[in-house]
Amino acid sequence: MIPSRALLRSVAVVRFRIWLATALAFGALLTGLLRAQVNEEKQRDQSEETETRAASTPKPKKSPTPKTKRRHTPTPKPKTAKKKSGAKKSAKSKSAQNEEPKPRKTPAPQVEEARAASEPAAPPPRAIAVPTPAPSPQPKPTRTVSAGGQAQVVIEKSGIEEDQGFEPPPSAPPRRGFWPWSRSVSYRYLTSSVIEAIRRAPVKRRRWQFIVVHNSGTRQGNARVFDYYHKHVRRMQNGLAYHFVIGNGTSTGNGQIEVGDRWRRQINGGHVHSDYLNNISLGICLVGDFNRDQPTRAQLDACEELIRYLRDRCGKTERGTIPVKPHREINPPRWPTDCPGDDFPYSWFRRF
C-alpha cells in the first residue's frame, strides 16, 4: 500500500509540474506578443505625431508675418487676404489628405498646444500703433442723392427767414414850430395817415430785401380799382398785388400815396413773376402807361419820399440799405418785361 501511494503521488506531481511549465511558457509567449503589439502601436503614434508636427511647423512661422503687415498697413488689400486664406485652405486640405489613412487619433489639440508654445509672446493688439484711416466726412442725408435713386428736387428758398425780431418804428417827424431845429424834416406827399400806417405795421428785421417800382400800364386808376381787377379778374386771393400805389391825378390826387393791405398785413406781394422775389420785395406802382407817357414830377417826388421813409422803417439788410430796382431789371430772364416802360426816366434811380 505504501509504495503504490508514493507512485501515485509521484505521477500526479509530474503531471502538475508539466502543466505548470506549459502554462508558464504559454503565458510568457502571450506577454511577449502583447508587448510587441504595444511597442508597435507606440511607434505608430510617435511617427504620426512627428509627421503632423512636421506638416504643421511651417504654418506658424508664416502666419505671423502677414498679420504684422496687415496691422502696419493703413489699407488692407482684400485680394491678398483671399489668396493667403486660399493657400492656407489648400495646405490644410493636403494635410487632411495625408491624415486620412490614419484616423485613429486626432492630434489637433496637441498641434494647437505646440503651435501656441512655439509662437513668441506677441504684444497685445491694442498696444500696437495701427494707422487707422481718419473717418471721411460723409455728406448730409437731408440733401444727398440716394444710391441708385433719382436726384431730389431742390426747393427754392421761400424768402421768409426765421424770426429775428421786429424793427422799431422810426421816430415821428418833428412838428413845425418857432425853434429852427424843429423844421429839419418835412414831407410834402407823406401825409400823417400814410406815416402812421407805415409805422404801425409789424415789420420784421431783414424781412424786405428789395423795393421794386412798377407802372400800372393804364392811364388812370387807383388802389381800389386795381384791387378789384387783381382779385376778380386775375383771381389773386389777397387782391391788390402792390404794397403802395401813387396816383397821377386822374382817379386820385397827383402824387397821392395809397397804402395797400399787403403792407398792413406784412405779406408777400404779387408784382414780380417769382414767388421768392415776391416774398422779399416791396412793390410800388405808379399809375400810368410809361410806354406812351412819362410819370409826373409829383409822382417821382412822392415815390422818392416813400422809398426813403421805407428804408428807414425796414432797416438795413446784409448788403446795407435796401436797393431800389425797376421791374424790368429784377424780373427773371425767363419772363422779360418792359415795366415800368420805355419812357420812364431810369436815371432817376441813381439817387438811391
Side-chain angles (χ1 to χ4, degrees), residues 109-313:
Q110 295 179 359
V111 173
E112 290 179 359
E113 291 177 0
R115 185 183 299 175
S118 62
E119 288 182 355
R126 293 182 181 177
I128 297 172
V130 180
T132 57
S136 58
Q138 297 180 355
K140 295 181 180 180
T142 56
R143 295 191 179 183
T144 53
V145 180
S146 59
Q150 298 180 355
Q152 298 179 359
V153 178
V154 178
I155 302 173
E156 191 179 17
K157 188 177 179 181
S158 64
I160 301 177
E161 301 290 343
E162 59 182 0
D163 191 6
Q164 298 181 355
F166 294 91
E167 281 287 342
S171 58
R175 300 178 180 179
R176 292 177 177 248
F178 177 77
W179 303 105
W181 56 80
S182 62
R183 303 177 185 178
S184 58
V185 179
S186 62
Y187 297 107
R188 182 176 179 184
Y189 299 98
L190 279 176
T191 61
S192 58
S193 60
V194 174
I195 291 174
E196 187 63 23
I198 294 174
R199 284 168 52 84
R200 290 181 62 183
V203 181
K204 293 183 178 180
R205 287 190 177 92
R206 297 180 181 179
R207 170 71 170 86
W208 305 110
Q209 305 290 324
F210 295 96
I211 296 176
V212 185
V213 179
H214 304 259
N215 74 325
S216 64
T218 60
R219 290 189 168 179
Q220 58 183 2
N222 57 18
R224 183 180 59 82
V225 174
F226 299 151
D227 178 71
Y228 182 87
Y229 173 75
H230 291 161
K231 185 178 293 184
H232 298 283
V233 178
R234 295 184 59 183
R235 302 296 180 183
M236 299 177 72
Q237 182 179 1
N238 294 312
L240 180 64
Y242 312 105
H243 295 87
F244 300 93
V245 177
I246 301 177
N248 62 349
T250 55
S251 301
T252 55
N254 190 11
Q256 180 178 347
I257 300 172
E258 295 180 282
V259 182
D261 188 57
R262 291 179 186 264
W263 170 261
R264 292 188 176 91
R265 295 165 57 193
Q266 287 294 293
I267 61 175
N268 61 312
H271 51 96
V272 182
H273 209 307
S274 169
D275 292 337
Y276 169 63
L277 293 174
N278 280 326
N279 283 328
I280 61 173
S281 60
L282 293 170
I284 301 176
C285 177
L286 277 64
V287 178
D289 183 3
F290 302 143
N291 283 321
R292 295 180 289 177
D293 302 316
Q294 287 189 350
T296 63
R297 186 75 255 174
Q299 282 182 302
L300 295 178
D301 292 342
C303 189
E304 183 176 354
E305 287 185 4
L306 177 61
I307 288 171
R308 296 189 185 280
Y309 194 78
L310 287 175
R311 277 180 162 182
D312 190 17
R313 177 69 182 91

Side-chain angles (χ1 to χ4, degrees), residues 2-13:
I2 296 171
S4 61
R5 289 180 179 175
L7 182 63
L8 288 172
R9 287 179 181 177
S10 62
V11 171
V13 169

Side-chain angles (χ1 to χ4, degrees), residues 13-198:
V13 169
V14 170
R15 286 180 180 177
F16 176 75
R17 289 177 178 176
I18 292 170
W19 177 81
L20 182 63
T22 53
L24 290 173
F26 182 77
L29 181 63
L30 185 63
T31 54
L33 292 174
L34 290 174
R35 286 179 182 178
Q37 188 176 1
V38 170
N39 291 331
E40 287 179 1
E41 289 180 357
K42 287 182 179 180
Q43 289 178 0
R44 287 180 183 177
D45 294 340
Q46 289 178 359
S47 63
E48 288 177 1
E49 288 180 0
T50 53
E51 287 178 0
T52 52
R53 286 179 182 178
S56 60
T57 48
K59 291 181 181 178
K61 291 180 181 179
K62 294 180 180 180
S63 58
T65 53
K67 288 182 180 179
T68 53
K69 289 181 180 178
R70 287 181 186 175
R71 288 177 182 175
H72 290 288
T73 52
T75 55
K77 297 180 181 179
K79 292 184 180 179
T80 57
K82 289 182 180 178
K83 289 181 181 178
K84 291 179 182 177
S85 63
K88 289 182 180 179
K89 288 181 180 178
S90 63
K92 288 182 180 179
S93 62
K94 289 180 181 179
S95 63
Q97 290 176 1
N98 295 328
E99 292 175 1
E100 280 181 0
K102 301 173 183 180
R104 293 183 180 180
K105 292 185 180 181
T106 56
Q110 295 179 359
V111 173
E112 290 179 359
E113 291 177 0
R115 185 183 299 175
S118 62
E119 288 182 355
R126 293 182 181 177
I128 297 172
V130 180
T132 57
S136 58
Q138 297 180 355
K140 295 181 180 180
T142 56
R143 295 191 179 183
T144 53
V145 180
S146 59
Q150 298 180 355
Q152 298 179 359
V153 178
V154 178
I155 302 173
E156 191 179 17
K157 188 177 179 181
S158 64
I160 301 177
E161 301 290 343
E162 59 182 0
D163 191 6
Q164 298 181 355
F166 294 91
E167 281 287 342
S171 58
R175 300 178 180 179
R176 292 177 177 248
F178 177 77
W179 303 105
W181 56 80
S182 62
R183 303 177 185 178
S184 58
V185 179
S186 62
Y187 297 107
R188 182 176 179 184
Y189 299 98
L190 279 176
T191 61
S192 58
S193 60
V194 174
I195 291 174
E196 187 63 23
I198 294 174

